[in-house]
Amino acid sequence: MKDISLSIASPSAANPLQKMGAALTACAILCSIIAAFGVGKSHPLLFFFLITGLFISGGIFYSIPYFKAQAGIKNDGIMQNSLSSRGAIAWGIAILMTGFYIILYWFPYYLEGLIRTMDPLSMMLRGKASDQWFLYGAFYTLAVLIMGMRFIAKYKFSRYHIIRTISVMFFQLGFAFLLPAFLLKLNQPEFYFSYFWPLKYSYLFPNDLDYLIQSGNLGVFMVFWGLVMTFIATPILTYNFGKRWYCSWVCGCGALAETLGDPYRQNSDKSLKAWKIERWMVHSVLVFITLTTALLWLNSWKSGTILGDASGLFSQWYGFLIGSVFSGVIGTGFYPIMGSRVWCRFGCPMAAILGLFQRFKSKFRITTNGGQCISCGNCSTYCEMGIDVRAYAQKGENIIRASCVGCGVCSSVCPRGVLKLENLEEEGRFIPYIRHEDKK
Amino acid sequence: MNIVIIGNGITGITCARNIRKLDSNAFITVISEESEHFFSRTALMYIYMGHMKFEHTKPYEDWFWNKNRISLIRAYVKTLNSKDKTLHFDNGKSIAYDKLIIASGSIPNKFGWPGENLYGVQGLYSIQDLEQMERNTKNISSAVIVGGGLIGIEMAEMLHSRKIEVKMLIRENLYWSNILPREEAQLIGKHISAHGIDLRFNTELREIISDDQDRVKGVLTNTGEQFECQFVGLTAGVKPNIGFLEKHELETERGILINEYFETSIPDIYAAGDCAQFRNPKSGEPAVEQLWYTGKMQSETLARTICGDKSAYNRGIWFNSAKFFDLEYQTYGQVLPEINDQQKSFYWEHLNGKHAFRANYSNKDESILGFNFIGIRFRQAIAEDWIREHKTIDFVIQNLKKGWFDPEFSKAYYNDISHSYLQSLKGGNEE
Ligand SMILES: Cc1cc2nc3c(=O)[nH]c(=O)nc-3n(C[C@H](O)[C@H](O)[C@H](O)COP(=O)(O)OP(=O)(O)OC[C@H]3O[C@@H](n4cnc5c(N)ncnc54)[C@H](O)[C@@H]3O)c2cc1C
Ligand code: SF4
Ligand code: SF4
């Protein structure tokens, strides 16, 4: 059968307020480009307020119709909109975002003008001039806050979504932006309390540990914090709540995916093939980073005699391939084409570990409510992790998958109230629903 | 064994899958004229509204059928020859069977209204209906829907998503009042109106008026009112799709007549799902079950019989669910629009009119008979256990929390409900 949705007309013209919001956002991007070409250097404050002001007002205008509308699922027209269904606009945004990452990582001097617009803020927060990473952090945080507001408006009927979105906004702003800046101002190591090994892989590398320990009491606490979070807190929290406690409540990558990435969540690939590739890739990355870390320790223990520079090279390559190309360029730049969680699904070693716990040793599951599923497909379509939720629900099975980040959107979009994210006792979570009449 | 199934809906496909699970050697062929692959009919509205594409409504990937050795044929079965056990298609080809399962589903009801065949007048059942609706509603501004059932409200929501003004003509004085008790019908009616749908109660279609190009331009009602519109949705129920059996000796009434083993009047021919009619339905159960859920349960039972484990159909405790714009509805057990003199009913409604709960129970021993939940999700297994085990209404109200299925952090209403129940005991103002 031909894809009949192609013959379906575009829905009635978008809301004028949303058009206005989109226009303001486009102006903000335009201003950023103008600033980058040098004007930002001569008028930093003007462009700082212009850019942030336009982004924020754009976000507000875009969200107003959601706040005003009747509460409920707001997915009308998603499959007919060029922005959300891999149309020309989506490709345009993907190219823009990918381009931004490439320039940011490898040609930051083209951003000089734009970086200078952040100087006033950077001086205030960190006591030193801005650089490309501060610019990136500021934009990133702004995106999480603005699109987080939009997400809250869209899902205003669900306290689960409101609370967890406020949580990711809080952790991004406080723990991933303000606190590290502040530490720098106090001449302390720039440390991110919301990232742990293996996502922030260097936090268990011998060099970083040495550096932290030598930087004083706070540095020692940071090492302690990192070890506790990786080896004690993570297993305990994941056992009790599933990987969601991190992936859709705390993590910055998750924060961007849940907010900026939300309009694209339906573009994740749900095929069995994609699932196979995912399992190979994400676990390979985990093996890679574990090996790298082990090698670095071995090497430092033998004072560099066994490997010489090889292990350093290994970690450099990891940083380039995984840290930059995968998590940034592909992971975020390809949102509009491959969905919002490409990195989290195929590349993140933290997600891989959390996933193993979640699958084999956790109280978390998405419960399927008896035989209520009508196989409509909304849940699978809107799962950003590409999980074919329906495949389980229509068999009366609970959904227990390593990759599920517990965003809860499948449960929200289900028109029959079939799905519930919950932490119950571990026993029996794999037992499917069987009709009383069919029990033998 | 060569098994041929007519219809690739939930009934036909569930049957095919379950036969394959029980018997790895059977030849299984599924025939359908509607679509190449099985899709979810219940999701048609979401394709129109742009929540999903047709691809997303297919519960199995396309490789699934080959892998499970289920052959698919896209053709229309024109005639059945039960003497030499063959089916003949409209394309001239034919196929032989050892066992035939008919799961041909439904078609929309038409009642011979004047003008029911005009351009712009249609029902909604198949993927072709959806494509037609797409063409029929292009650039139009107003529509009338005849009939206030579940497909009617879905159609209203679909049109509403394209900013088309919708009037619904409803024969009764409340929304879906042949199924819902008064309070629920009122609550849902209000919710639908709040979304801008114009509900016209006590109103029936008299005539559909055409312009000079055989296109609908309005409707005339029994109340003498005339409404302009460019689209009329006919959603006054569905009936078994058995036209192709008209000249055959297979016994039919409204649907294909079957016993509790899904056996028809001819050996080796079975029927199930929307197209089948039980000869002797159990008391209180309908003869024709036209639901996704029942299609699935019927065909699971039938697959066992086909594979040698003869099993009678037992639909178990009744349940159903639906969604009216943003209001979810779940029902378990028996909740009729009006209780009889052996029943009592407790009803609770939130002040905001978005959440409601009803429990019907027996006059004699206070045992629970059925539930309605609106704007509340509840565990099916628990509701069914309680009904099956004749738990008392007191027990049920005290233990509602156990079955609560709303998302985490949602406001829970079981305390409000229990409070209101105790209040009602004191005040004695039960219905
Ligand atoms: C818009 C809509 C929404 C619905 N929502 C719900 C819901 O929320 N919950 C619920 O429980 N139920 C719902 N239903 C009802 C439910 O979809 C049906 O009960 C169910 O699909 C019936 O399944 P079936 O397999 O018996 O028949 P069908 O799904 O109708 O399948 C029969 C197939 O057989 C084919 N066929 C028929 N005759 C021939 C022939 N001679 N030759 C070849 N092929 C033939 C037809 O083309 C069709 O594809 C809904 C129905 C509609 C239309
Ligand atoms: S399965 Fe549901 S909760 Fe898990 S990631 Fe997918 S949509 Fe989110
Ligand atoms: S959204 Fe709900 S009803 Fe639809 S397929 Fe998923 S679980 Fe089933």
Side-chain angles (χ1 to χ4, degrees):
Chain A
M1 156 150 309
K2 277 202 332 265
D3 187 351
I4 70 138
S5 27
L6 291 180
S7 65
I8 284 178
S10 63
S12 25
N15 187 303
L17 284 169
Q18 293 201 325
K19 274 189 176 162
M20 176 94 169
L24 287 169
T25 309
C27 288
I29 295 173
L30 198 68
C31 284
S32 308
I33 295 174
I34 296 172
F37 274 113
V39 202
K41 206 166 174 175
S42 46
H43 303 87
L45 217 52
L46 173 70
F47 271 87
F48 173 78
F49 281 115
L50 212 53
I51 292 168
T52 49
L54 281 168
F55 269 130
I56 291 171
S57 49
I60 291 176
F61 272 102
Y62 201 86
S63 307
I64 291 175
Y66 286 135
F67 278 117
K68 288 208 309 207
Q70 295 257 348
I73 293 304
K74 299 279 173 289
N75 286 341
D76 287 352
I78 286 199
M79 294 297 163
Q80 295 132 0
N81 185 335
S82 165
L83 172 80
S84 47
S85 67
R86 302 197 188 108
I89 302 181
W91 279 98
I93 294 179
I95 291 169
L96 198 77
M97 298 218 292
T98 315
F100 175 74
Y101 272 98
I102 292 175
I103 295 176
L104 180 79
Y105 282 136
W106 295 292
F107 312 100
Y109 36 90
Y110 288 123
L111 291 175
E112 183 56 21
L114 196 54
I115 292 170
R116 296 284 71 82
T117 63
M118 292 293 156
D119 274 343
L121 184 66
S122 183
M123 289 308 288
M124 192 172 89
L125 292 176
R126 318 194 297 169
K128 65 182 215 177
S130 173
D131 55 17
Q132 90 230 53
W133 304 121
F134 184 77
L135 169 78
Y136 178 49
F139 271 18
Y140 196 108
T141 308
L142 203 60
V144 168
L145 295 179
I146 292 172
M147 292 299 279
M149 175 180 66
R150 171 195 162 278
F151 191 89
I152 288 174
K154 184 173 175 184
Y155 293 94
K156 63 179 177 182
F157 55 89
S158 158
R159 300 223 308 217
Y160 183 74
H161 290 312
I162 295 172
I163 296 172
R164 88 182 161 83
T165 306
I166 290 174
S167 170
V168 288
M169 289 160 78
F170 167 80
F171 279 105
Q172 177 56 36
L173 179 66
F175 282 62
F177 186 63
L178 294 179
L179 192 59
F182 212 59
L183 287 169
L184 216 57
K185 189 168 194 165
L186 300 176
N187 274 323
Q188 294 291 339
E190 186 181 11
F191 190 84
Y192 296 81
F193 284 93
S194 54
Y195 290 108
F196 329 111
W197 187 93
L199 178 52
K200 194 84 183 155
Y201 43 89
S202 61
Y203 281 5
L204 282 192
F205 283 1
N207 285 348
D208 278 54
L209 287 194
D210 280 350
Y211 162 73
L212 285 177
I213 288 168
Q214 272 156 29
S215 70
N217 284 342
L218 195 56
V220 175
F221 174 72
M222 287 166 180
V223 171
F224 173 74
W225 174 260
L227 290 171
V228 168
M229 287 314 292
T230 298
F231 294 109
I232 299 173
T234 296
I236 293 178
L237 288 167
T238 312
Y239 175 71
N240 284 299
F241 307 112
K243 81 199 263 189
R244 56 183 172 156
W245 75 268
Y246 191 66
C247 295
S248 58
W249 285 74
V250 173
C251 176
C253 305
L256 198 69
E258 294 295 333
T259 54
L260 186 68
D262 176 67
Y264 313 110
R265 57 168 51 248
Q266 64 282 353
N267 292 337
S268 60
D269 190 337
K270 316 299 189 302
S271 67
L272 190 66
K273 203 165 133 206
W275 184 20
K276 281 189 183 146
I277 297 174
E278 162 197 316
R279 278 179 294 178
W280 271 105
M281 277 183 81
V282 77
H283 294 120
S284 304
V285 174
L286 178 61
V287 170
F288 190 17
I289 188 60
T290 311
L291 268 178
T292 306
T293 311
L295 276 176
L296 285 173
W297 279 101
L298 210 65
N299 200 40
S300 99
W301 179 53
K302 295 268 176 193
S303 345
T305 47
I306 26 172
L307 290 162
D309 261 356
S311 65
L313 214 64
F314 210 50
S315 80
Q316 263 173 24
W317 271 97
Y318 183 89
F320 173 73
L321 279 179
I322 307 298
S324 309
V325 178
F326 205 153
S327 76
V329 181
I330 299 175
T332 311
F334 286 19
Y335 270 6
I337 306 304
M338 297 177 69
S340 48
R341 289 266 191 181
V342 179
W343 157 250
C344 312
R345 184 180 175 195
F346 294 98
C348 176
M350 182 83 181
I353 293 193
L354 294 170
L356 291 173
F357 279 121
Q358 171 158 291
R359 173 65 180 68
F360 296 106
K361 194 76 195 154
S362 173
K363 295 174 161 183
F364 173 73
R365 88 284 307 273
I366 303 177
T367 305
T368 289
N369 194 11
Q372 298 262 14
C373 175
I374 54 170
S375 300
C376 69
N378 274 297
C379 52
S380 299
T381 305
Y382 287 93
C383 175
E384 54 189 349
M385 295 304 283
I387 298 172
D388 189 357
V389 182
R390 165 175 58 192
Y392 302 81
Q394 65 191 358
K395 286 191 271 184
E397 290 173 2
N398 297 335
I399 295 93
I400 301 170
R401 275 278 289 266
S403 63
C404 170
V405 290
C407 66
V409 170
C410 54
S411 161
S412 301
V413 298
C414 173
R416 293 294 177 272
V418 176
L419 306 166
K420 180 175 185 192
L421 284 70
E422 56 188 347
N423 321 303
L424 296 177
E425 64 281 8
E426 206 189 329
E427 294 80 54
R429 65 186 193 132
F430 285 101
I431 298 175
Y433 168 80
I434 299 173
R435 289 192 334 125
H436 179 80
E437 292 69 29
D438 293 340
K439 283 180 195 157
K440 286 256 161 84
Chain B
M1 194 168 40
N2 178 18
I3 297 161
V4 174
I5 301 173
I6 303 179
N8 72 346
I10 181 68
T11 309
I13 290 302
T14 308
C15 215
R17 277 182 41 247
N18 279 277
I19 292 173
R20 174 53 76 232
K21 266 197 261 173
L22 297 168
D23 178 352
S24 57
N25 295 320
F27 285 100
I28 306 174
T29 308
V30 181
I31 306 161
S32 166
E33 57 154 338
E34 184 181 6
S35 61
E36 185 101 24
H37 298 109
F38 170 47
F39 73 98
S40 179
R41 195 173 299 297
T42 53
L44 283 176
M45 65 182 294
Y46 299 108
I47 302 178
Y48 184 91
M49 300 203 300
H51 295 206
M52 285 188 277
K53 296 185 179 179
F54 175 72
E55 283 308 303
H56 298 112
T57 67
K58 293 198 269 189
Y60 303 94
E61 289 186 63
D62 293 352
W63 50 257
F64 178 88
W65 310 107
N66 236 333
K67 182 171 172 254
N68 288 287
R69 290 172 293 120
I70 295 173
S71 320
L72 305 176
I73 296 180
R74 180 132 188 228
Y76 177 70
V77 177
K78 239 168 86 181
T79 45
L80 156 65
N81 185 337
S82 46
K83 301 252 153 49
D84 57 9
K85 290 192 163 186
T86 51
L87 297 173
H88 300 274
F89 304 152
D90 57 345
N91 58 16
K93 292 185 182 155
S94 59
I95 190 172
Y97 64 83
D98 296 333
K99 287 193 174 170
L100 174 68
I101 295 163
I102 306 177
S104 56
S106 301
I107 48 170
N109 272 331
K110 286 189 176 182
F111 292 108
W113 288 295
E116 67 182 15
N117 294 321
L118 292 171
Y119 293 112
V121 181
Q122 67 165 106
L124 174 63
Y125 190 82
S126 65
I127 192 85
Q128 287 75 22
D129 291 340
L130 187 75
E131 285 168 334
Q132 188 186 18
M133 184 167 167
E134 190 57 54
R135 291 190 297 272
N136 277 339
T137 57
K138 207 156 248 170
N139 304 321
I140 70 164
S141 59
S142 58
V144 168
I145 290 172
V146 182
L150 292 179
I151 300 183
I153 192 62
E154 290 190 0
M155 228 181 188
E157 190 173 349
M158 291 159 76
L159 295 164
H160 180 74
S161 78
R162 302 265 180 108
K163 312 265 186 299
I164 295 166
E165 260 180 53
V166 182
K167 280 190 178 56
M168 283 182 92
L169 311 188
I170 295 169
R171 197 170 47 183
E172 297 77 18
N173 62 348
L174 286 172
Y175 177 75
W176 214 31
S177 59
N178 53 334
I179 303 287
L180 295 174
R182 196 183 67 237
E183 288 83 358
E184 285 91 320
Q186 267 165 350
L187 182 154
I188 291 172
K190 266 191 228 154
H191 180 76
I192 296 171
S193 304
H195 274 275
I197 306 298
D198 185 1
L199 296 177
R200 297 295 174 127
F201 296 110
N202 303 314
T203 308
E204 286 178 54
L205 176 68
R206 188 50 59 80
E207 185 185 338
I208 304 171
I209 310 162
S210 93
D211 66 5
D212 45 17
Q213 274 149 10
D214 281 345
R215 261 203 78 91
V216 51
K217 73 166 187 192
V219 297
L220 197 68
T221 70
N222 65 337
T223 54
E225 284 167 298
Q226 193 167 331
F227 302 124
E228 252 179 59
C229 64
Q230 303 86 44
F231 178 82
V232 173
L234 301 178
T235 61
V238 296
K239 63 176 179 208
N241 178 9
I242 51 173
F244 67 105
L245 296 168
E246 221 166 41
K247 297 204 181 72
H248 198 274
E249 58 187 327
L250 192 69
E251 271 184 62
T252 62
E253 214 177 87
R254 275 163 65 207
I256 302 166
L257 287 170
I258 51 165
N259 62 15
E260 70 270 36
Y261 301 104
F262 305 98
E263 293 165 335
T264 65
S265 57
I266 297 177
D268 291 330
I269 301 184
Y270 304 80
D274 273 31
C275 68
Q277 176 184 353
F278 290 102
R279 270 178 210 278
N280 304 304
K282 290 183 199 152
S283 87
E285 295 184 3
V288 183
E289 298 185 323
Q290 298 160 318
L291 285 177
W292 185 265
Y293 303 127
T294 48
K296 202 166 160 179
M297 297 189 293
Q298 286 189 15
S299 51
E300 281 164 0
T301 316
L302 172 56
R304 267 185 257 146
T305 297
I306 297 273
C307 296
D309 168 18
K310 193 165 179 178
S311 312
Y313 178 56
N314 181 353
R315 64 136 68 166
I317 289 166
W318 171 251
F319 69 96
N320 198 9
S321 62
K323 193 172 181 184
F324 310 93
F325 280 85
D326 306 316
L327 275 194
E328 286 171 18
Y329 154 78
Q330 300 183 334
T331 184
Y332 301 104
Q334 196 191 53
V335 183
L336 297 172
E338 292 197 20
I339 51 173
N340 58 33
D341 55 7
Q342 277 143 48
Q343 301 176 342
K344 281 188 178 181
S345 187
F346 166 72
Y347 178 78
W348 168 89
E349 185 178 315
H350 193 278
L351 280 177
N352 68 11
K354 305 280 182 209
H355 310 273
F357 166 80
R358 178 182 297 279
N360 282 0
Y361 53 101
S362 150
N363 229 340
K364 261 195 280 165
D365 58 358
E366 306 233 303
S367 65
I368 190 79
L369 302 168
F371 300 97
N372 274 352
F373 295 94
I374 294 177
I376 296 170
R377 296 175 172 183
F378 201 81
R379 281 178 218 271
Q380 179 175 0
I382 297 224
E384 289 183 346
D385 282 351
W386 287 350
I387 294 169
R388 192 179 305 110
E389 291 160 14
H390 306 290
K391 293 284 190 241
T392 64
I393 179 77
D394 284 350
F395 173 90
V396 164
I397 298 280
Q398 275 164 32
N399 288 280
L400 278 179
K401 187 177 176 189
K402 282 204 186 117
W404 216 253
F405 203 68
D406 275 350
E408 295 157 295
F409 300 110
S410 319
K411 272 208 188 93
Y413 301 110
Y414 38 80
N415 289 333
D416 294 8
I417 292 173
S418 128
H419 191 73
S420 146
Y421 174 72
L422 293 177
Q423 232 28 49
S424 80
L425 286 188
K426 265 190 232 145
N429 55 356
E430 285 165 81
E431 281 170 46

